[in-house]
Amino acid sequence: MSDWRSFWDGEHAIYVSDRHKAVHYRAIADGILAHVADAGLGRDAVVLDYACGEALETPRVAAAVGRLVLCDGAPSVVAKLRERFGGLGNVGFALPEDLDAELGDGTADLIVVSSLIQYLSRRDFAALLDRFRAKLKHGGRLVVADVLPPDAGMVADVASLLRNALKHGYLPAALMGLVATAVSPYRKLRSEIGLATYAEADLLALMAEHGFSAVRHRPNLGLTPHRMTFVGRPAV
């Protein structure tokens, strides 16, 4: 395994327990719905959850919007999403290379991409910003969440995991998971390939270069408060 896409398409132990996974996806869904409300979107809204992962709370999010498109780079994940949620009439599924068939340009009210750009090169992220801008309606909103600042290393991630584990009742599993992670493919890839980090000003400047008027948004979407969320709108 030599790249992040292959890692996410295979078996991994990022979530230390089923409860950890459920808490994670509930927090992501809460964040998406908060941005739906903050943007004043109604039940006819078109929402793209890009790099959605298993999206366990899909029924709850889909019930609040007109159309929800789930897009992920791992074919195995997309296959599971289709199997699990294919009966929901207002939910579409796509790999990144197939997204155009599910979501036309200028049709999205809200695009949320969480915990992805740390796995991308700056060039690939810049290209993705251009694609997102094309997909958004004139008054649409892009939410880029879980961005790693340069000073946020593994220690901050571990501390966040343990705080959430204590709060939500999976601390023993978290402690065992940390031991497993020390010798896992994730740790090896993180060491060899690394994760992309962005200072706040740098991320805002990059979004501006690619046609977005953006601001830092607090709190971060999800379970890691030391990371950052940005909200951008297509600049006039």
Side-chain angles (χ1 to χ4, degrees), residues 132-163:
F132 288 153
R133 193 177 191 283
K135 293 297 179 190
L136 283 169
K137 293 179 180 177
H138 175 70
R141 172 184 291 209
L142 170 64
V143 177
V144 180
D146 224 34
V147 178
L148 273 67
D151 59 350
M154 183 73 79
V155 173
D157 287 345
V158 169
S160 181
L161 170 66
L162 294 178
R163 281 195 302 269

Side-chain angles (χ1 to χ4, degrees), residues 121-136 142 144 198 201-214 232-236:
S121 69
R122 188 181 182 94
R123 176 182 294 181
D124 287 344
F125 176 44
L128 199 55
L129 285 173
D130 291 336
R131 192 176 195 195
F132 288 153
R133 193 177 191 283
K135 293 297 179 190
L136 283 169
L142 170 64
V144 180
Y198 292 87
D202 187 29
L203 198 286
L204 291 172
L206 183 59
M207 292 183 74
E209 289 173 15
H210 291 270
F212 286 95
S213 175
R233 296 172 178 81
V236 178

Side-chain angles (χ1 to χ4, degrees), residues 8 10 31 65 85 93 96 114 123 132 144 146-148 169 172 175 181 214:
W8 291 110
V65 301
F85 303 121
F93 311 90
S114 179
R123 176 182 294 181
F132 288 153
V144 180
D146 224 34
V147 178
L148 273 67
L175 293 171
T181 298

Side-chain angles (χ1 to χ4, degrees), residues 13-164:
I14 287 297
Y15 305 107
V16 300
S17 67
D18 288 342
R19 182 164 182 78
H20 179 203
K21 184 188 292 187
V23 168
H24 167 79
Y25 282 110
R26 183 167 67 242
I28 296 298
D30 288 345
I32 292 173
L33 292 174
H35 282 281
V36 167
D38 190 55
L41 300 177
R43 290 188 174 272
D44 59 345
V46 176
V47 176
L48 169 62
D49 184 358
Y50 193 92
C52 62
E54 294 184 48
L56 298 181
E57 299 275 330
T58 289
R60 182 159 65 99
V61 177
V65 301
R67 187 157 190 266
L68 173 64
V69 177
L70 301 176
C71 182
D72 197 86
S76 63
V77 170
V78 174
K80 290 176 183 177
L81 290 169
R82 289 183 188 277
E83 181 180 356
R84 184 176 291 152
F85 303 121
L88 298 175
N90 67 331
V91 180
F93 311 90
L95 291 164
E97 53 267 32
D98 303 324
L99 182 58
D100 290 345
E102 287 291 336
L103 186 69
D105 287 353
T107 60
D109 294 285
L110 174 67
I111 297 174
V112 178
V113 52
S114 179
S115 197
L116 171 68
I117 70 170
Q118 61 263 41
Y119 303 113
L120 302 179
S121 69
R122 188 181 182 94
R123 176 182 294 181
D124 287 344
F125 176 44
L128 199 55
L129 285 173
D130 291 336
R131 192 176 195 195
F132 288 153
R133 193 177 191 283
K135 293 297 179 190
L136 283 169
K137 293 179 180 177
H138 175 70
R141 172 184 291 209
L142 170 64
V143 177
V144 180
D146 224 34
V147 178
L148 273 67
D151 59 350
M154 183 73 79
V155 173
D157 287 345
V158 169
S160 181
L161 170 66
L162 294 178
R163 281 195 302 269
N164 284 298

